[in-house]
Amino acid sequence: MSQTPSKASGESLLFLTDEQLRKGIEAMFFAYRGFTADPDRILEERGYGRAHHRAVHFIRRSPGTTVNNLLSILGVTKQSLNRVLRALIEDGLVLSEVGTRDRRERHLTLTAEGAALDRALSDAQSHRMRMAYKAAGPEAVAGFRSVLEAMMDDTMRAQYDALKDRG
Amino acid sequence: MSQTPSKASGESLLFLTDEQLRKGIEAMFFAYRGFTADPDRILEERGYGRAHHRAVHFIRRSPGTTVNNLLSILGVTKQSLNRVLRALIEDGLVLSEVGTRDRRERHLTLTAEGAALDRALSDAQSHRMRMAYKAAGPEAVAGFRSVLEAMMDDTMRAQYDALKDRG
DNA sequence: TTGGAATGTCAACAAGGCTGACGTATTGTC
DNA sequence: GACAATACGTCAGCCTTGTTGACATTCCAA
């Protein structure tokens, strides 16, 4: 299992020690905490959680999407999503309209108030990401994105790719 | 708030459209799912969750650490940590020993069985990370790490840095 | 037209966060 | 030596967000 580095930590070829991999794992852990910290503060003020954030984000991203589609993107059960969706609808942030072609479906869109919340959350999160990008430099940003994309499951990457065009 | 790109998506200077930032946010979301997917499967078999994983990981990382120290690394309350720690101790994965210098403290270490679980989890997670690194290339890896590190809060980065040497 | 599949809703439960209160052992200070 | 502070454990109860089970509605195909 554990590697015995023949030379040292190579830079041209990809030789990775357990320590390097472990450090990468920890970087993900701590960075994800930072990544969610700012939106969490905003959400708390309104009594929402991360689940609400995710729902709002992806509805904004794909206006008119169905509950089923949102389900597969978020990777949760419909019952779980339904709870947060119900709250958002009752609070007037999300609009749920019966489908015209298939009346079993509900098409979800953000109201003006929902869009405002999305903007507040997105701005907070983008600000941190912009600062990180600025600190790390353009090449680092490209590397960051390509490692993250390679880390997704295939099914996730398909959904990730399907969301609008590539940055 | 929204930007009006004067030229296009620049590559030499760091000019970032809302779309690019949004794509970065989504990359974090989907990648983190992939990042936790493999360990989650292993944990489920044994009736553990991510909280147990985190505890085991950082005890392995800092053998003999105190409960208080672990608390500040994980960023949870002692009541929360105590629940998972109690389970791990009862199951014989973690050893809790009264401190010699300060007998109020408990020093935590992994038993052989605990170390075995850590290895299984770490191998699963490292494998995916290694594949992602290999797919993205050495320069991407460096960029990945530097963006993640820039995204942490200062207090988190201090703890991240304190964990062994730099990869 | 009827039975099965798909979509979405309601109810109940579990994991794992949280706060608050409290007990105990130990340390360090006045 | 008395006493406050520290480190840890625990009980009780709450919230979010995941889960499964049961069920109503709607569509479609046999």
Side-chain angles (χ1 to χ4, degrees):
Chain A
M1 267 339 130
S2 67
Q3 304 205 28
T4 46
S6 54
K7 284 176 176 287
S9 59
E11 59 295 310
S12 62
L13 266 182
L14 255 187
F15 187 87
L16 296 158
T17 64
D18 284 0
E19 169 65 20
Q20 287 170 321
L21 290 166
R22 203 159 253 263
K23 209 70 190 170
I25 290 171
E26 285 158 6
M28 273 297 275
F29 172 70
F30 287 115
Y32 200 80
R33 281 249 296 273
F35 173 70
T36 55
D38 304 320
D40 280 355
R41 272 188 286 274
I42 296 173
L43 291 160
E44 200 188 6
E45 297 170 10
R46 331 248 310 213
Y48 291 139
R50 271 182 215 173
H52 303 83
H53 183 183
R54 292 194 283 269
V56 165
H57 177 102
F58 286 109
I59 292 173
R60 145 71 203 274
R61 188 62 149 176
S62 307
T65 186
T66 65
V67 174
N68 234 0
N69 183 42
L70 201 50
L71 241 43
S72 68
I73 289 177
L74 297 176
V76 297
T77 59
K78 57 181 177 172
Q79 294 89 332
S80 210
L81 176 59
N82 187 257
R83 196 188 302 115
V84 305
L85 226 40
R86 187 166 45 205
L88 291 171
I89 291 168
E90 281 175 4
D91 296 353
L93 303 195
V94 167
L95 205 64
S96 170
E97 290 169 306
V98 174
T100 50
R101 214 195 46 196
D102 186 335
R103 297 183 48 197
R104 290 172 300 182
E105 294 179 341
R106 299 295 125 93
H107 296 285
L108 306 168
T109 46
L110 293 185
T111 64
E113 199 184 341
L117 176 60
D118 174 75
R119 220 171 303 118
L121 294 168
S122 180
D123 284 350
Q125 209 158 30
S126 293
H127 179 259
R128 181 182 292 253
M129 187 146 292
R130 196 192 302 275
M131 293 298 103
Y133 280 179
K134 188 176 285 183
E139 292 172 23
V141 172
F144 168 73
R145 284 276 294 272
S146 45
V147 172
L148 287 188
E149 287 167 17
M151 203 146 49
M152 300 174 195
D153 281 347
D154 288 346
T155 60
M156 294 182 208
R157 189 166 33 252
Q159 290 173 323
Y160 168 80
D161 288 339
L163 292 168
K164 281 275 183 65
D165 49 56
R166 310 301 302 252
Chain B
M1 262 345 123
S2 67
Q3 305 204 30
T4 44
S6 54
K7 284 174 178 290
S9 60
E11 59 295 308
S12 63
L13 268 181
L14 255 186
F15 187 86
L16 297 157
T17 62
D18 285 359
E19 170 64 22
Q20 286 170 322
L21 290 166
R22 202 160 253 264
K23 209 71 191 169
I25 290 172
E26 286 159 6
M28 274 297 277
F29 171 69
F30 287 114
Y32 199 79
R33 281 247 299 274
F35 173 70
T36 54
D38 303 321
D40 280 354
R41 273 188 285 275
I42 295 173
L43 290 160
E44 199 189 5
E45 296 169 9
R46 334 247 309 212
Y48 292 140
R50 272 182 214 174
H52 303 83
H53 183 183
R54 291 193 284 269
V56 165
H57 177 104
F58 286 109
I59 292 173
R60 144 74 202 271
R61 186 63 149 173
S62 308
T65 187
T66 64
V67 174
N68 241 355
N69 184 41
L70 199 51
L71 242 43
S72 69
I73 288 177
L74 296 177
V76 297
T77 60
K78 60 174 179 177
Q79 293 92 329
S80 231
L81 176 59
N82 189 255
R83 198 186 299 123
V84 305
L85 223 41
R86 188 166 42 203
L88 291 171
I89 292 168
E90 281 175 5
D91 295 352
L93 303 195
V94 167
L95 204 64
S96 171
E97 290 170 306
V98 173
T100 50
R101 213 194 49 193
D102 187 335
R103 298 184 49 195
R104 291 170 302 182
E105 294 178 340
R106 299 296 127 92
H107 296 286
L108 305 169
T109 46
L110 294 186
T111 65
E113 198 186 340
L117 176 59
D118 174 77
R119 220 171 304 117
L121 294 168
S122 181
D123 284 350
Q125 209 158 30
S126 293
H127 179 259
R128 181 183 291 255
M129 187 147 292
R130 195 191 303 274
M131 291 300 102
Y133 281 180
K134 186 175 286 184
E139 293 172 23
V141 173
F144 168 73
R145 284 276 294 272
S146 43
V147 171
L148 287 187
E149 286 167 18
M151 204 146 51
M152 298 175 195
D153 282 347
D154 288 345
T155 61
M156 293 182 207
R157 187 164 36 250
Q159 290 173 322
Y160 168 80
D161 288 339
L163 292 169
K164 283 277 183 62
D165 51 56
R166 308 303 301 253

